[in-house]
Amino acid sequence: YDFIFNDSITSNQTGDSPTQDRHGTYVFSILAGFVDSVLIGPAFNSSFILAKTEDVRSETHIEEDNYAAALIWMESLGVDITTSSLGYNIFDSGYSYAYPDMDGRTTIVTKAAEFAFQRGVSTFTLAGNEGSNKWRYIIAPADGFNIISVGAVNDLGIAASFSSQGPTYDGRIKPEVVAYGVSNYGATAGTNNGYNFSSGTSAAAPIASGIAALLLSVHPHLKNTQLRSILLETSSSSANPNNHIGYGIISAKNAIEFPNLEKVNNSYVL
C-alpha cells in the first residue's frame, strides 16, 4: 500500500520524484532478491507486504505518521517481521529531534515500532548513518527498547565509520547487531537486470531481518521475544557488547543451530 498517495501502487507514479523507488528497490533486493549466481537474498521466497511511506521530496513528520499507519496495517494482516531502512532525526522545517529524544519513548516511529512488538511482531531497522558526523548517535526508531537496530561493518568485521553508534540517551547499548554494509551489491531501480554497489546501514538491516526470517522458517514456534534473544545471544560479541557493534556480527548459522524448546502435546522437545 502507498501511504503517500493512499492507493495500492508502490511503484513510481505521477507526482513521485524520479528517484522515489531507488532506495527501496535496492534494499528490497538485498533482502528478497533471487538471480542465480548474481544475487540471493536471505529471505527470498518469503511472502512480503510492501508499504510505501517515505516521500523523498521532503522530510516531514507526516512520513512518521505514514510509518505508524503502515505498521498498524501490516500487523492487522498478520505480519511476522517488519524491516525498515529509514530513520528520523532532522526535518526540513518545524520540530526536529535531538539526542535526548532517542530514549525509546518519544518519537512517533519508535512508539509505533514498540506497539507492533507488543503485538508479537519482530521489528528491525537501520541504526543510521550518522557515525562520522556531528549527530553520531542512532536515529529513530533505532532507539526502541525491543526493536533490533542494525549497524554496518566492512569485510574485516570492523564497524563502518558512518555507522551510527550508541548508547541511547537513557544509556542502553545500541545497535543490537551489525551486518555487512560497505559496498553491498543490489538491484538498480528502473532496470530489468541492472545492479549497483552502495554502502550504509540501509544495506545491513535487510541482511539481519532476512536472517530472522530464516530462523523463523526453521523454528516457526518462536515468539518475537525469543527470536530477538536468540539473534543477540548468537552474535559474535554477545559476551562483551559495546556501542559500536552491539552484540556483534549476526550469524544465520549460529542462530538456527541455537537450541530451543517447542511445547508439543504438553511436553517440550528440541
Side-chain angles (χ1 to χ4, degrees):
Y1 192 82
D2 180 347
F3 288 85
I4 301 171
F5 293 110
N6 295 313
D7 59 36
S8 60
I9 303 171
T10 55
S11 58
N12 280 13
Q13 57 184 301
T14 301
D16 274 321
S17 164
T19 63
Q20 174 69 40
D21 58 355
R22 184 177 299 172
H23 182 258
T25 299
Y26 170 75
V27 170
F28 190 32
S29 73
I30 295 173
L31 171 67
F34 184 89
V35 177
D36 191 16
S37 303
V38 177
L39 176 67
I40 302 176
F44 81 92
N45 252 4
S46 297
S47 297
F48 295 95
I49 306 170
L50 300 181
K52 180 179 172 182
T53 67
E54 178 75 4
D55 190 343
V56 303
R57 297 172 298 183
S58 61
E59 190 74 350
T60 68
H61 286 287
I62 293 172
E63 292 161 297
E64 289 195 275
D65 293 337
N66 293 344
Y67 187 108
L71 287 179
I72 293 170
W73 171 67
M74 289 179 165
E75 192 277 328
S76 74
L77 296 175
V79 72
D80 295 304
I81 299 168
T82 64
T83 184
S84 62
S85 287
L86 299 171
Y88 299 93
N89 57 343
I90 306 301
F91 296 89
D92 293 339
S93 60
Y95 177 70
S96 289
Y97 294 128
Y99 178 52
D101 295 315
M102 301 298 118
D103 60 358
R105 303 177 185 276
T106 299
T107 75
I108 297 168
V109 285
T110 301
K111 289 190 284 188
E114 288 298 299
F115 282 135
F117 188 89
Q118 291 169 20
R119 290 178 173 271
V121 180
S122 294
T123 52
F124 288 75
T125 192
L126 53 68
N129 299 328
E130 312 292 333
S132 56
N133 64 31
K134 184 179 179 181
W135 178 277
R136 192 174 72 180
Y137 296 108
I138 45 95
I139 55 179
D143 61 311
F145 288 91
N146 293 296
I147 202 165
I148 296 180
S149 58
V150 187
V153 293
N154 62 20
D155 56 355
L156 298 177
I158 299 171
S161 60
F162 58 76
S163 187
S164 287
Q165 306 167 19
T168 58
Y169 185 72
D170 55 321
R172 288 173 287 117
I173 288 176
K174 289 285 179 174
E176 271 75 12
V177 296
V178 289
Y180 189 70
V182 179
S183 294
N184 294 43
Y185 196 61
T188 302
T191 69
N192 290 326
N193 57 1
Y195 300 89
N196 67 94
F197 291 94
S198 189
S199 300
T201 56
S202 283
I207 295 174
S209 58
I211 289 174
L214 290 172
L215 176 59
L216 196 59
S217 70
V218 176
H219 303 296
H221 65 277
L222 291 175
K223 297 179 180 179
N224 63 340
T225 51
Q226 296 171 305
L227 187 144
R228 185 181 190 279
S229 178
I230 290 170
L231 291 176
L232 270 58
E233 189 167 341
T234 57
S235 292
S236 63
S237 295
S238 60
N240 188 30
N242 61 58
N243 285 306
H244 292 278
I245 62 170
Y247 290 80
I249 300 171
I250 194 169
S251 168
K253 182 176 185 295
N254 290 350
I256 289 170
E257 292 179 350
F258 187 82
N260 66 83
L261 299 176
E262 179 182 6
K263 190 174 184 180
V264 179
N265 297 326
N266 294 319
S267 61
Y268 290 91
V269 296
L270 282 171

